[in-house]
Amino acid sequence: MGEILVGACSWTDRRLVASGWYPRGRRDAEGRLRHYASRLPVVEVDAAYYALPSRRNSELWVERTPDQFRFDVKAFSLLTGHPTRPQALPADLRTRAPAGPRAPVSGALLDEVWGRFAEAVEPLRKAGRLGAVLFQFPPWFAPGAPAERALEDCAERTAGWPIAVEFRHPGWWEAERADGTRALLSGLGATAVGVDMAQGLTGSTPPVAPVSRPALAVVRFHGRSRAWGRGSKEDRFRHDYDVTELAAWVPRLRRAARQTDELHVLFNNCCADAAVRAAETMRSLLTRPCR
């Protein structure tokens, strides 16, 4: 069975910092990361979706964590076709931002952003700390030829990187298409990302844990809020997993781990300390002997 690493999708969320999970004296930038890494073995850098990360931060993250610690870095919004505010771009690129939320992005701007993102994550990759770069595609990224071409372009640009792909359009993992989706990602050398989320909504993705790459599998837990797709971030992700909800996933996660070298289980219900508490509970469940 592959190694299972469980963590949260942020260690810097302000509500987590305010929750009291970090002890006194460890609430500065260095102290927070060192404390987090002493409790959990993997974290997702979700802030990289909202603004381009910096190479210097990656260097500091390597310095402040043990050798076996892993960072999964979420791709910047412009790289996955999400609306991107000009203010999210570096100051020297803002005048080249798209004119509107769905306006086309110039090839020159896209090339520049790709280059800067790659430069920023290189220290993690070089140090062996980069678990995956997560490409989370938007709900309108539907199955079909245009999406497949976009995925192929993404794979070409990230050659040599460990990449993971999460779809927000539920059609990718419908029963009749799931095998084709898994094969597509496998052919591109990409890890398929499984999710847990509220079911019965228009955009609900089935609770599957697909394995498309023998080196790594990823499952992200988004909570089960009925406000998914609307409201504030807190509304969308507010959920306290109880132990029965987590225990129901254990057999599925163990099956995935048997097919891969490493499995990352990441909690995205980032409201106060809900994600880190769920991560610690899931770690405990997964370390219990199989019955």
Side-chain angles (χ1 to χ4, degrees):
M1 180 179 289
E3 185 175 12
I4 304 176
L5 305 183
V6 186
C9 290
S10 175
W11 78 95
T12 60
D13 185 87
R14 60 188 178 89
R15 287 177 173 79
L16 171 60
V17 176
S19 73
W21 190 73
Y22 291 108
R24 286 188 177 183
R26 308 202 77 177
R27 296 177 186 173
D28 62 306
E30 180 173 355
R32 289 195 304 264
L33 182 54
R34 289 190 183 277
H35 178 74
Y36 179 100
S38 74
R39 301 278 292 270
L40 294 165
V42 63
V43 75
E44 182 180 297
V45 185
D46 74 328
Y49 170 83
Y50 300 100
L52 279 171
S54 73
R55 183 182 180 93
R56 180 53 182 156
N57 275 345
S58 291
E59 292 169 345
L60 290 172
W61 297 340
V62 169
E63 293 173 10
R64 294 169 178 174
T65 53
D67 289 345
Q68 68 274 18
F69 192 82
R70 295 289 178 268
F71 293 88
D72 287 358
V73 182
K74 194 171 182 180
F76 182 54
S77 59
L78 198 73
L79 304 182
T80 48
H82 286 86
T84 302
R85 297 177 300 108
Q87 293 80 2
L89 292 165
D92 62 313
L93 298 181
R94 290 173 188 169
T95 59
R96 298 157 60 183
R102 299 287 184 90
V105 181
S106 74
L109 174 60
L110 202 55
D111 289 345
E112 182 66 25
V113 171
W114 270 107
R116 295 193 190 190
F117 186 88
E119 173 69 12
V121 301
E122 178 60 18
L124 297 175
R125 192 194 67 79
K126 186 176 180 181
R129 304 293 186 79
L130 182 62
V133 177
L134 169 67
F135 290 87
Q136 178 197 288
F137 289 96
W140 55 87
F141 192 80
E148 291 186 17
R149 286 195 295 271
L151 289 168
E152 290 167 0
D153 178 66
C154 180
E156 289 175 6
R157 288 181 180 270
T158 58
W161 299 6
I163 67 169
V165 173
E166 178 181 339
F167 297 116
R168 287 290 174 88
H169 190 291
W172 290 97
W173 295 115
E174 290 176 348
E176 64 273 14
R177 188 183 290 273
D179 288 344
T181 297
R182 189 182 296 107
L184 171 66
L185 295 178
S186 180
L188 296 173
T191 289
V193 177
V195 302
D196 177 85
M197 62 175 297
Q199 296 298 297
L201 305 177
T202 302
S204 294
T205 301
V208 294
V211 176
S212 62
R213 181 170 163 253
L216 177 68
V218 177
V219 178
R220 301 176 79 230
F221 283 71
H222 293 306
R224 298 181 181 180
S225 171
R226 306 302 295 179
W228 181 260
R230 55 189 173 84
S232 68
K233 176 183 176 182
E234 288 70 31
D235 291 335
R236 297 193 303 273
F237 295 100
R238 184 180 289 112
H239 183 73
D240 274 320
Y241 281 99
D242 65 41
V243 69
T244 58
E245 291 171 332
L246 298 177
W249 265 90
V250 168
R252 199 175 299 159
L253 295 175
R254 285 179 172 158
R255 282 196 299 272
R258 285 194 288 269
Q259 301 173 62
T260 190
D261 297 334
E262 195 166 285
L263 169 65
H264 292 186
V265 180
L266 293 156
F267 285 86
N268 196 30
N269 54 323
C270 294
C271 291
D273 62 348
V276 291
R277 284 190 289 104
E280 290 176 327
T281 301
M282 181 63 89
R283 283 188 83 194
S284 176
L285 291 170
L286 288 166
T287 56
R288 292 178 184 175
C290 298
R291 293 182 179 180

